[in-house]
């Protein structure tokens, strides 16, 4: 199993450094940067320390919440947006998707630490910047440039089994009139097949019950570990909906292989760290 180590400047990505702060952006979305603003943060340039070092955005861990808020300010300054315009619910590996608008957004201001659980956001309103946190899970952006509507989705293995990103695309289609063939999909850094493994037959069965043909996305190594290709099944779900393959862009970065730049829950767990940190995917319309 080859570990994925990509230059963060690639045909899909732009790697931006501003002092110690670093983020990546998708070139395909930057074509519309007069309409949509987005970035995925690396772990550098923040104020958190210890296992959270340094740009941790996780509010439900044991990091000092003041550090998390300061990290948010650093992110927002780099995006040239106000931290009061960042919206987030509690993530809990659900397939719940929140449609944000100017009537309901107040409840989900980042600093309100909403207890309601949503793992995806959709809006067509300007100035509503959604924030998804990940540390191995898949951050997924779906954008329809014709109707100017986007989804920002957190899809770990549980969300992937629930097909949350497919569900988001369908809501965009049904509620906002987005055509599947116009949609652009960007999948950020996440744990990849090289590192997402399990020895358990029961775990493998969960995937086969949903995605059937295991040969396409599960392999077994010499030690008997199963390796799961979440990207394959997520991309396949999108293609089956009618989203064009050429409109689906994947950051070729494994968070577990590249923990020096991103946070990895699996690495933190393997080390028996007392807690773990997360990085951010922020998306909003201008």
């Amino acid at each position: 199993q080859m570990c994925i180590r990509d230059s963060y400047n690639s045909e899909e990505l732009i790697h931006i450094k501003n002092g110690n702060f670093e983020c990546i952006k998708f070139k395909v979305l930057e074509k519309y940067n007069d309409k949509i603003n987005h970035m995925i943060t690396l772990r550098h340039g923040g104020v958190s320390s210890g296992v959270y070092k340094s740009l941790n955005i996780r509010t439900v861990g044991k990091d000092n919440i003041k550090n998390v808020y300061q990290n948010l300010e650093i992110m927002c300054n780099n995006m040239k947006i106000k931290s009061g315009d960042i919206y987030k619910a509690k993530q809990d590996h659900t397939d719940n998707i929140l449609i944000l608008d100017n009537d309901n957004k107040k409840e989900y201001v980042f600093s309100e630490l909403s207890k309601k659980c949503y793992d995806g956001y959709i809006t067509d309103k300007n100035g509503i910047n959604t924030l998804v946190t990940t540390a191995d899970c898949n951050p997924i952006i779906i954008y329809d440039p014709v109707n100017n509507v986007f989804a920002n989705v957190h899809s770990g293995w549980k969300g992937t089994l629930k097909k949350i990103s497919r569900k988001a695309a369908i809501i965009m289609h049904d509620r906002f009139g987005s055509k599947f063939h116009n949609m652009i999909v960007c999948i950020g850094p996440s744990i990849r097949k090289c590192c997402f493994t399990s020895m358990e037959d029961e775990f493998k069965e969960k995937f086969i019950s949903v995605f059937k043909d295991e040969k396409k996305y599960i392999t077994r190594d010499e030690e008997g570990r199963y390796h799961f290709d979440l990207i394959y099944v997520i991309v396949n779900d999108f293609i089956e909906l009618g989203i064009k393959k050429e409109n689906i862009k994947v950051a070729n970065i494994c968070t577990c292989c590249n923990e020096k730049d991103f946070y990895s829950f699996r690495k933190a767990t393997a080390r028996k760290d007392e807690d773990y940190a997360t990085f951010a995917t922020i998306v909003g319309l201008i």
Side-chain angles (χ1 to χ4, degrees):
Q1 297 288 337
M2 272 297 292
C3 281
I4 297 166
R5 297 188 184 282
D6 192 10
S7 155
Y8 306 147
N9 278 312
S10 66
E11 61 181 284
E12 314 294 10
L13 301 176
I14 306 162
H15 181 197
I16 296 164
K17 291 187 180 187
N18 183 10
N20 292 328
F21 175 85
E22 295 182 52
C23 71
I24 54 174
K25 298 188 177 197
F26 281 90
K27 288 180 181 174
V28 67
L29 291 179
E30 284 297 277
K31 289 180 194 161
Y32 303 99
N33 66 8
D34 58 330
K35 297 201 290 185
I36 188 169
N37 198 3
H38 83 290
M39 75 176 184
I40 301 173
T41 60
L42 276 65
R43 64 181 292 169
H44 315 299
V47 298
S48 297
S49 58
V51 296
Y52 310 104
K53 190 171 190 269
S54 87
L55 196 67
N56 172 45
I57 197 63
R58 186 164 175 251
T59 56
V60 292
K62 298 177 194 147
D63 194 8
N64 185 328
I65 196 71
K66 288 180 181 161
N67 289 343
V68 176
Y69 289 150
Q70 208 174 327
N71 288 338
L72 181 70
E73 292 295 336
I74 291 164
M75 294 174 188
C76 289
N77 288 341
N78 277 279
M79 249 182 126
K80 299 183 171 53
I81 54 177
K82 295 193 188 88
S83 56
D85 294 334
I86 296 271
Y87 301 90
K88 186 185 183 304
K90 187 181 176 193
Q91 291 177 197
D92 199 25
H93 300 282
T94 67
D95 61 351
N96 300 341
I97 293 164
L98 175 63
I99 297 176
L100 276 167
D101 58 37
N102 293 318
D103 295 327
N104 69 355
K105 68 181 184 184
K106 283 188 188 66
E107 194 183 337
Y108 300 99
V109 171
F110 188 93
S111 58
E112 292 292 313
L113 302 175
S114 171
K115 294 281 190 292
K116 290 192 179 167
C117 293
Y118 290 96
D119 287 85
Y121 309 94
I122 297 174
T123 191
D124 63 348
K125 302 289 182 281
N126 296 355
I128 296 178
N129 297 285
T130 62
L131 190 149
V132 160
T133 63
T134 52
D136 283 343
C137 295
N138 294 283
I140 301 171
I141 303 166
I142 310 169
Y143 180 52
D144 165 17
V146 177
N147 291 300
N148 204 32
V149 55
F150 73 86
N152 189 9
V153 178
H154 159 250
S155 182
W157 66 263
K158 291 175 184 169
T160 301
L161 285 173
K162 293 170 186 166
K163 297 179 176 257
I164 182 173
S165 49
R166 182 179 187 275
K167 187 175 169 185
I170 290 169
I171 294 171
M172 287 171 65
H173 175 274
D174 293 352
R175 298 276 294 272
F176 294 90
S178 296
K179 302 272 196 294
F180 293 122
H181 65 260
N182 290 329
M183 291 181 190
I184 295 163
V185 173
C186 297
I187 305 174
S190 60
I191 193 167
R192 298 297 157 91
K193 193 179 182 184
C194 44
C195 298
F196 185 46
T197 62
S198 172
M199 297 293 280
E200 296 170 23
D201 288 327
E202 296 83 0
F203 190 68
K204 183 182 78 156
E205 290 307 318
K206 288 182 201 282
F207 283 86
I208 296 169
S209 68
V210 175
F211 298 110
K212 310 299 180 261
D213 188 3
E214 65 182 281
K215 290 191 291 294
K216 295 190 169 138
Y217 57 92
I218 303 173
T219 53
R220 203 168 191 187
D221 64 25
E222 302 80 56
E223 276 122 46
R225 279 187 306 250
Y226 296 111
H227 290 251
F228 298 83
D229 188 348
L230 292 183
I231 299 295
Y232 175 86
V233 292
I234 292 167
V235 168
N236 202 50
D237 271 349
F238 282 131
I239 290 169
E240 283 178 359
L241 277 182
I243 295 174
K244 295 176 184 166
K245 192 164 188 205
E246 61 267 29
N247 284 351
I248 303 173
K249 308 298 181 184
V250 180
N252 192 26
I253 300 166
C254 175
T255 43
C256 196
C257 294
N258 293 283
E259 201 205 9
K260 68 184 191 309
D261 289 319
F262 297 92
Y263 296 111
S264 169
F265 173 74
R266 181 161 279 230
K267 278 276 171 76
T269 309
R271 276 196 305 268
K272 298 188 169 56
D273 289 352
E274 81 239 45
D275 199 13
Y276 70 97
T278 58
F279 60 95
T281 299
I282 304 175
V283 191
L285 299 176
I286 295 162

